[in-house]
Amino acid sequence: MQLSLSMPITGKIESLANSQVDLFNSGVLGDGLVIFATGTELQAPFDGYYTQINDHNLHIETADGGQWLLHIGVGLEQLPIMPVEFFGIYNATKLEAGATLASVAWPDTKMEQLTDLFCEVALVNTNQARLQLQFISLADHEVGDLLGNILTF
């Protein structure tokens, strides 16, 4: 099955192995990608349904049975509250690609004198299905840009 993938937030795409989060860069949760974010608007990367949400994660199920985690990473242990505001998202909400999901107020590490913070969004296939990511380009992208396709087997 093929799923079109659009950029969920403005930034630079890299291999999931480059994530600052050990759970993701080790591949233990599954395959995917990481975006080092420069934007603040988070959009749905594809169609599906929300199956779970917390202060920094969205779980999305796609029509082909795929289970995806959209993780907003900022170095949680140093922040008293997550700088994420979700918009009208509840469990089992139908999701359309390109819909605005949240606003992220990335912390200014210099102003707040915080260390080890990072601004990344990880998109991970958590049901371990075999997949192939076909990218149009791995350069910097704007939110909503068509990135390519996800092929699942």
Side-chain angles (χ1 to χ4, degrees), residues 22-45:
D22 291 339
L23 201 54
F24 301 135
N25 65 30
S26 66
V28 88
L29 285 184
D31 197 6
L33 57 93
V34 66
I35 300 160
F36 291 101
T38 56
T40 60
E41 179 185 358
L42 184 69
Q43 291 184 357

Side-chain angles (χ1 to χ4, degrees), residues 82-133:
M82 278 300 298
V84 181
E85 179 184 358
F86 288 102
F87 304 123
I89 301 170
Y90 306 97
N91 287 346
T93 299
K94 186 174 182 181
L95 167 70
E96 292 185 16
T100 300
L101 305 176
S103 176
V104 184
W106 300 110
D108 184 331
T109 57
K110 291 182 178 124
M111 290 268 303
E112 299 180 31
Q113 298 182 338
L114 299 172
T115 58
D116 300 326
L117 288 180
F118 47 88
C119 302
E120 73 174 43
V121 172
L123 181 62
V124 183
N125 174 18
T126 59
N127 68 342
Q128 305 286 329
R130 290 192 38 175
L131 61 90
Q132 178 183 8
L133 300 170

